[in-house]
């Protein structure tokens, strides 16, 4: 693979046959740190056959530790963006935008035979998440018994994701026995300030029964709901007084 030490931005668009972005086969873990060490912005647009961003599990090696902005748009064959161990390779990711990826079921998902056990997935510098027009997305973290931590996330926008009920994976039994909430104790985002939820047909509950397990409302400034037909309640007065 060509080593480009000075490249900070990469855009790949309108390449119909393309199935993967980075071919990491043959690279040792030590070599991975030398690949695109300054890449800050990755923008993937209209890649209808894209199956994966890279073709090898890096087992936690910080290969893309400069990447700050990731944008996926019209990658209609992409079922997920990362497996859990790959997500751990993005410690400086600040903004994530995923739009019009028709087959995406989860942003982070487990694949049989890949990855390793990860108890907690952390994006320490992620402050903005935008998810739009993802008709098959069911959750952000499509992997059971694991946690998602975004300690400085301040902006969250989710629109036109009709199948999404929760940010974390929910079993069919959990769905049948109760009403899953968008935020669960497995999602930690204590600094959330701004949230927009629009056209989410399956969403009926935003917070767990005790939202203080997930976040405080000290930083909350703006919340907008638009055409969320199944939503039963926004806030309880007691939460806002805490």
């Amino acid at each position: 693979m060509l080593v480009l030490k000075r490249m900070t931005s990469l855009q790949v668009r309108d390449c119909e046959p393309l199935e993967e972005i980075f071919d990491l086969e043959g690279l040792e873990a030590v070599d991975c740190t030398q690949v695109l060490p300054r890449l800050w912005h990755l923008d993937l647009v209209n890649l209808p056959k894209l199956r994966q961003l890279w073709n090898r599990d890096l087992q936690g090696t910080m290969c893309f530790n400069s990447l700050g902005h990731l944008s996926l748009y019209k990658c209609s064959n992409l079922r997920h963006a990362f497996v859990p161990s790959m997500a751990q390779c993005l410690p400086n990711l600040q903004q994530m935008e995923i739009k019009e990826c028709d087959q995406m079921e989860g942003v982070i998902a487990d694949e049989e035979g890949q990855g390793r056990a990860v108890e907690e997935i952390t994006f320490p510098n992620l402050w903005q998440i935008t998810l739009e027009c993802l008709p098959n997305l069911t959750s952000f973290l499509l992997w059971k018994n694991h946690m998602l931590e975004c300690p400085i996330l301040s902006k969250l926008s989710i629109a036109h994701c009709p199948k999404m009920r929760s940010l974390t994976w929910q079993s069919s039994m959990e769905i049948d026995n109760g009403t899953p909430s968008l935020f669960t104790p497995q999602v930690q985002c204590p600094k959330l300030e701004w949230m927009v939820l629009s056209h989410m047909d399956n969403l009926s509950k935003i917070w767990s029964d005790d939202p203080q397990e997930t976040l405080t409302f000290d930083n909350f400034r703006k919340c907008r709901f638009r055409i969320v037909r199944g939503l039963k309640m926004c806030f309880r007065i007691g939460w806002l007084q805490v």
Side-chain angles (χ1 to χ4, degrees):
M1 181 176 176
L2 183 63
V3 176
L4 300 172
K5 292 185 177 181
R6 295 184 178 181
M7 187 166 69
T8 60
S9 180
L10 172 63
Q11 183 183 78
V12 184
R13 65 181 303 152
D14 302 327
C15 298
E16 184 174 348
L18 192 68
E19 296 186 1
E20 58 194 32
I21 303 298
F22 300 107
D23 180 4
L24 301 177
E25 291 297 336
L27 286 178
E28 300 296 330
V30 175
D31 298 329
C32 285
T33 61
Q34 305 299 318
V35 176
L36 301 171
R38 297 184 183 180
L39 183 65
W40 161 255
H41 190 113
L42 179 59
D43 190 17
L44 308 179
V45 181
N46 194 26
L47 306 175
K49 293 187 179 180
L50 184 69
R51 296 182 296 106
Q52 52 192 5
L53 272 63
W54 49 79
N55 63 354
R56 177 183 164 194
D57 177 21
L58 303 177
Q59 296 295 327
T61 302
M62 299 303 182
C63 186
F64 294 95
N65 60 352
S66 293
L67 189 65
H69 182 100
L70 173 66
S71 178
L72 306 176
Y73 177 59
K74 286 191 174 182
C75 299
S76 56
N77 197 42
L78 197 63
R79 294 187 177 274
H80 61 265
F82 319 107
V83 297
S85 59
M86 289 177 178
Q88 302 292 74
C89 298
L90 303 169
N92 289 309
L93 188 65
Q94 296 182 19
Q95 294 174 277
M96 180 189 301
E97 296 181 358
I98 304 177
K99 301 179 180 181
E100 296 189 34
C101 297
D102 292 347
Q103 297 302 316
M104 183 164 290
E105 298 173 358
V107 176
I108 304 172
D110 186 23
E111 275 192 345
E112 187 176 355
Q114 293 192 19
R116 63 177 181 176
V118 178
E119 295 296 329
E120 186 175 280
I121 298 171
T122 303
F123 291 101
N125 290 295
L126 185 65
W127 66 270
Q128 180 176 0
I129 296 175
T130 302
L131 306 173
E132 292 183 8
C133 299
L134 306 173
N136 283 297
L137 188 76
T138 58
S139 63
F140 185 92
L141 180 59
L142 195 63
W143 206 30
K144 60 183 178 179
N145 301 324
H146 286 77
M147 295 183 63
L148 175 67
E149 184 175 1
C150 300
I152 68 168
L153 183 71
S154 60
K155 291 189 176 183
L156 174 65
S157 177
I158 307 175
H160 295 277
C161 298
K163 291 186 178 181
M164 191 171 188
R165 288 176 175 263
S166 177
L167 289 169
T168 56
W169 180 83
Q170 302 285 324
S171 69
S172 57
M173 182 178 296
E174 288 172 318
I175 292 173
D176 292 340
N177 292 339
T179 302
S181 57
L182 183 66
F183 291 92
T184 67
Q186 288 73 41
V187 177
Q188 299 295 318
C189 49
K191 300 296 185 181
L192 191 64
E193 296 180 10
W194 185 94
M195 179 172 66
V196 173
L197 303 176
S198 174
H199 294 84
M200 298 180 67
D201 297 344
N202 247 0
L203 182 65
S204 57
K205 189 176 179 181
I206 300 174
W207 317 107
S208 64
D209 292 334
D210 185 4
Q212 299 297 317
E213 295 178 345
T214 304
L215 53 87
T216 65
F217 294 99
D218 295 345
N219 301 291
F220 220 49
R221 298 181 181 181
K222 181 177 181 179
C223 190
R224 179 182 297 171
F225 307 109
R226 185 168 185 265
I227 311 182
V228 187
R229 295 185 175 89
L231 187 62
K232 298 177 181 178
M233 179 184 66
C234 292
F235 301 99
R236 286 179 180 166
I237 297 299
W239 298 342
L240 303 179
Q241 292 174 335
V242 175

